[in-house]
Amino acid sequence: MLASRIIREVEEGVGISNNQFGFWKGRSTVHAIQKVMDWALETRRGTWRTRRISLFITLDIKNAFGTIRWSSIIEAMAQKNISPYLQRQIREYLSDRRYQVEAQEEIL
C-alpha cells in the first residue's frame, strides 16, 4: 500500500529519471539494454574519421536496498517532495529494524 502511494506521488510530482530502469512499471532492464544498444549503434554512424568513440562500463550492486543507509532513503523522499505523512510512515517502518549480512566464500 505504501509503495503504490509513493509511486503515485513521484509520478505526479517530479517524475523519474529517463535513466531509471527496473522496479518501475514499463521500464525493465530489457529497456535499459535496448537504450544502450541504440546509443552504441548511433556512435557507429559516419566514416572512421567522423565516428564518435564509445565506451561502456557496467556496475552491478548486489543487494542495493540492503546496503543503502535508511536515512538516505528518508532524505531522498524529502528531496522528491514526498508527503510528510508518507515520509513519517516509512521512517516508522524502518525504525528499530536490523538486517544481517552473511559473507559467502567463493571457491575458484
Side-chain angles (χ1 to χ4, degrees):
M1 184 171 73
L2 289 176
S4 63
R5 288 183 180 179
I6 292 170
I7 289 169
R8 184 176 50 230
E9 286 197 25
V10 169
E11 287 176 338
E12 292 173 357
V14 295
I16 61 170
S17 168
N18 288 331
N19 296 319
Q20 172 66 44
F21 296 96
F23 306 106
W24 211 264
K25 185 178 180 180
R27 293 175 174 231
S28 70
T29 51
V30 172
H31 293 102
I33 292 168
Q34 185 61 55
K35 184 173 182 176
V36 169
M37 293 300 296
D38 291 346
W39 175 77
L41 290 172
E42 182 64 30
T43 63
R44 294 179 65 187
R45 295 184 191 268
T47 67
W48 67 274
R49 290 178 187 240
T50 60
R51 284 186 195 164
R52 296 180 0 212
I53 297 174
S54 60
L55 174 66
F56 181 65
I57 300 172
T58 64
L59 175 64
D60 182 17
I61 301 173
K62 291 184 179 181
N63 196 14
F65 181 77
T67 57
I68 191 170
R69 289 187 183 134
W70 290 336
S71 61
S72 298
I73 294 171
I74 301 299
E75 290 172 19
M77 290 176 70
Q79 290 174 356
K80 296 292 184 183
N81 295 321
I82 301 298
S83 69
Y85 168 78
L86 284 177
Q87 289 181 51
R88 188 171 51 253
Q89 292 297 314
I90 297 299
R91 189 178 308 110
E92 288 176 11
Y93 174 79
L94 295 175
S95 69
D96 295 324
R97 291 189 178 261
R98 306 230 186 298
Y99 61 89
Q100 182 175 343
V101 178
E102 295 180 15
Q104 295 180 355
E105 185 176 323
E106 291 188 29
I107 299 173
L108 299 177

